[in-house]
Amino acid sequence: MSPPQASHRVFFLTTLIAAAVASVAAALSLLIGLPVWAMFVGWIAFYTRGLSTRSTFENLGCVGLGLAIGLLASLAVPRVAAMTGPAIALPLVVFVVAFQVVSLRGLPAMNNLLAYFLGLVTWFAAHLEPTIASFGHLFAATAIGSAAGWIAHRLPALTAQTAKPA
């Protein structure tokens, strides 16, 4: 009986699996031309709330909506600037977006405020043209990261179950 050694083994195995999954997710992102940093945003979103399959999809959905809101905001700024001037446009659009996003926390599902902001930050950090293709590009990267987070979380538990003697 050696619980400390067993827990060290589980710790090492979990770490090894997470590193391997991160490596594969990064390689896949590079292979298909997606930003690796955006893949890690999806990974972070996975760990923001709940570690179930359902929460994986909800968190990713919130990131995706955050990306979409960012895209719409980036389209709105120049239009609002034409009406109000550039000094007022950005703060006004940010106010509307922040009000909208913070209000979403009251939904019964899809209420992960942090994931919405991760989507917004991803959109604006990418500095891409506001197009559906740009949205798809970033969403695909975050989806790979979210899936990788789910795999890195689930695989050690599955490995431990199969390693137990019958």
Side-chain angles (χ1 to χ4, degrees):
M1 180 170 145
S2 57
Q5 191 176 27
S7 67
H8 289 309
R9 209 173 304 127
V10 170
F11 181 86
F12 178 77
L13 180 63
T14 300
T15 304
L16 181 65
I17 289 171
V21 170
S23 177
V24 169
L28 178 61
S29 296
L30 284 174
L31 182 67
I32 59 179
L34 300 174
V36 174
W37 66 267
M39 177 275 294
F40 279 112
V41 169
W43 190 303
I44 294 164
F46 169 78
Y47 282 102
T48 60
R49 180 183 298 165
L51 299 175
S52 68
T53 302
R54 177 184 171 161
S55 64
T56 301
F57 285 106
E58 286 183 1
N59 295 341
L60 179 60
C62 292
V63 171
L65 286 173
L67 287 168
I69 292 167
L71 184 153
L72 294 173
S74 64
L75 290 170
V77 169
R79 288 166 177 76
V80 173
M83 295 182 287
T84 65
I88 295 173
L90 183 62
L92 184 59
V93 170
V94 167
F95 176 82
V96 170
V97 166
F99 188 87
Q100 178 185 23
V101 169
V102 174
S103 294
L104 293 172
R105 78 188 189 287
L107 293 174
M110 300 285 293
N111 56 11
N112 187 338
L113 186 59
L114 182 55
Y116 282 113
F117 279 109
L118 284 170
L120 283 167
V121 167
T122 300
W123 178 262
F124 287 105
H127 300 286
L128 297 175
E129 291 296 316
T131 64
I132 297 298
S134 296
F135 169 85
H137 185 76
L138 293 172
F139 186 76
T142 59
I144 289 170
S146 188
W150 182 84
I151 291 167
H153 175 71
R154 296 285 299 148
L155 201 52
L158 293 173
T159 304
Q161 285 177 349
T162 59
K164 287 182 184 176

